[in-house]
Amino acid sequence: MEQYSYEDEYRGQKRKFLILSGEENNIYRVFSEARFIGSISHEFHNEKVIWKTEYNILKPIATKIGEWIENSN
């Protein structure tokens, strides 16, 4: 399991997220202020990585978080 710390800004407020990978490294659980807010996952489509989520709160930032994880490795 890997752990990531991601920061961004929303409406002038800084936000910090803790992201934990699962054992298979294809599902990442996202926490904000120690609360689980959702998960993101990736799939390959025409050799391109697509980041997705079922959680509305994460839909606007799922791709940014996923790309940040990719660049961190």
Side-chain angles (χ1 to χ4, degrees):
M1 179 183 339
E2 293 184 47
Q3 177 176 317
Y4 304 91
S5 180
Y6 177 78
E7 294 182 22
D8 79 345
E9 192 171 313
Y10 178 73
R11 295 186 180 177
Q13 301 289 329
K14 290 195 182 242
R15 302 184 296 182
K16 293 183 182 181
F17 300 100
L18 173 66
I19 303 156
L20 301 175
S21 67
E23 290 184 21
E24 297 175 14
N25 287 336
N26 62 347
I27 295 178
Y28 297 84
R29 294 170 293 173
V30 182
F31 297 83
S32 176
E33 298 179 7
R35 290 187 327 236
F36 176 74
I37 60 169
S39 60
I40 63 173
S41 62
H42 66 278
E43 59 185 40
F44 294 95
H45 184 66
N46 293 333
E47 298 191 22
K48 183 177 179 185
V49 179
I50 305 295
W51 290 91
K52 60 182 184 170
T53 184
E54 299 295 322
Y55 297 86
N56 288 337
I57 194 167
L58 290 176
K59 284 183 179 179
I61 60 172
T63 300
K64 288 195 302 188
I65 291 173
E67 289 172 350
W68 183 83
I69 290 171
E70 286 179 53
N71 293 328
S72 295
N73 290 331

